[in-house]
Amino acid sequence: MHLSDAHHSRKTVAGACMVVAPVLLLVAMVIHPASDMDEATQVATIASNLDAWYTAHLLALVSIALTVPALLGLMHMLRERQVSLGHIGGGLAMVGLLAFVGIVAMELVMWELVSEGETATAVTLLQGLNDSAGILIPFALMSFGFAIGMALLAVGLYRARVVQSWMAVCVGAGSILFGFGIATAMNWLTIVAAAFLVVGLGSIGRMVLRETDEAWEHTPEYEGFRPVPGMR
């Protein structure tokens, strides 16, 4: 690996992050204790699963950090074709990632309160957070930027034909399902969504790692591209 070569280094980092980030997300979702819309029930779940709660959110934070270079890599692949979708989708996805960082941070604060035995305080705080427009708008609503942005990037990848069609479909479907699963506290759905991202984004990452530096700089059409039936 020629780390002195900036182009090669960016390709390697982007491809590796595309592979590793969704895997860590999947592990985090599998470990994550049950989510619940009722604040008291959620706090009780945290109290019964302190280690799992902390580990899941720590892995989620690492996954978020690694997703940033992965997103930049996807935007790079669209910089010569489907530029608008690349910029808009990448920007929205970045906003969503920032919102997810805030959500994870708040859930780690809940973990700290519960681990110190302040369960009543944790319930009150969680109720206040869930009822506050000042929290819901910048964090809960803005987190949907990730799902929308990734879906737009997937459309761009498909229309530019720089990845196989099923890779783009997996990225788009996984991102949308993940946003819906988080919003509805359906853990099983977030696991399914993360699995889609492992398949789609991970396959793109492996493709990036295998391709030449020249192909990375001027992303060609995917050889043997097959459109989704009924679509061009």
Side-chain angles (χ1 to χ4, degrees):
M1 183 171 65
H2 309 291
L3 291 177
S4 60
D5 186 332
H7 299 299
H8 186 85
S9 297
R10 284 195 294 268
K11 179 179 82 74
T12 302
V13 170
C17 288
M18 290 178 195
V19 173
V20 177
V23 171
L24 290 179
L25 179 63
L26 177 58
V27 174
M29 294 302 101
V30 171
I31 294 174
H32 197 291
S35 298
D36 200 288
M37 304 298 284
D38 179 76
E39 292 86 356
T41 302
Q42 185 64 84
V43 169
T45 299
I46 297 173
S48 301
N49 302 273
L50 284 173
D51 290 343
W53 187 268
Y54 181 80
T55 302
H57 288 82
L58 182 62
L59 289 173
L61 276 178
V62 177
S63 176
I64 291 171
L66 295 180
T67 301
V68 173
L71 280 177
L72 294 175
L74 295 178
M75 294 172 67
H76 173 90
M77 295 172 69
L78 296 176
R79 77 192 190 287
E80 295 181 341
R81 287 169 287 176
Q82 303 300 324
V83 177
S84 296
L85 284 174
H87 287 173
I88 296 172
L92 286 173
M94 288 290 187
V95 170
L97 286 179
L98 289 174
F100 277 132
V101 170
I103 293 172
V104 172
M106 286 185 279
E107 296 195 338
L108 285 175
V109 170
M110 302 304 301
W111 171 84
E112 177 63 23
L113 286 174
V114 174
S115 65
E116 294 293 332
E118 300 290 341
T119 54
T121 302
V123 172
T124 301
L125 176 60
L126 187 55
Q127 289 172 336
L129 292 174
N130 289 339
D131 293 337
S132 171
I135 296 296
L136 290 176
I137 293 175
F139 293 103
L141 290 182
M142 287 178 63
S143 68
F144 281 104
F146 177 75
I148 298 171
M150 288 294 287
L152 291 176
L153 286 172
V155 172
L157 293 169
Y158 178 87
R159 292 176 62 178
R161 300 192 171 197
V162 294
V163 301
Q164 188 54 276
S165 57
W166 60 264
M167 298 179 188
V169 169
C170 284
V171 170
S175 303
I176 293 172
L177 290 175
F178 187 76
F180 186 75
I182 292 293
T184 56
M186 299 171 66
N187 280 28
W188 68 268
L189 188 56
T190 62
I191 294 173
V192 172
F196 268 103
L197 290 173
V198 168
V199 174
L201 192 57
S203 296
I204 296 174
R206 288 189 292 273
M207 181 192 76
V208 168
L209 290 172
R210 290 194 301 264
E211 70 184 2
T212 64
D213 293 349
E214 290 74 18
W216 169 248
E217 285 306 303
H218 302 284
T219 307
E221 286 194 11
Y222 189 92
E223 186 176 352
F225 177 85
R226 294 186 298 276
V228 175
M231 298 179 63
R232 297 181 59 184

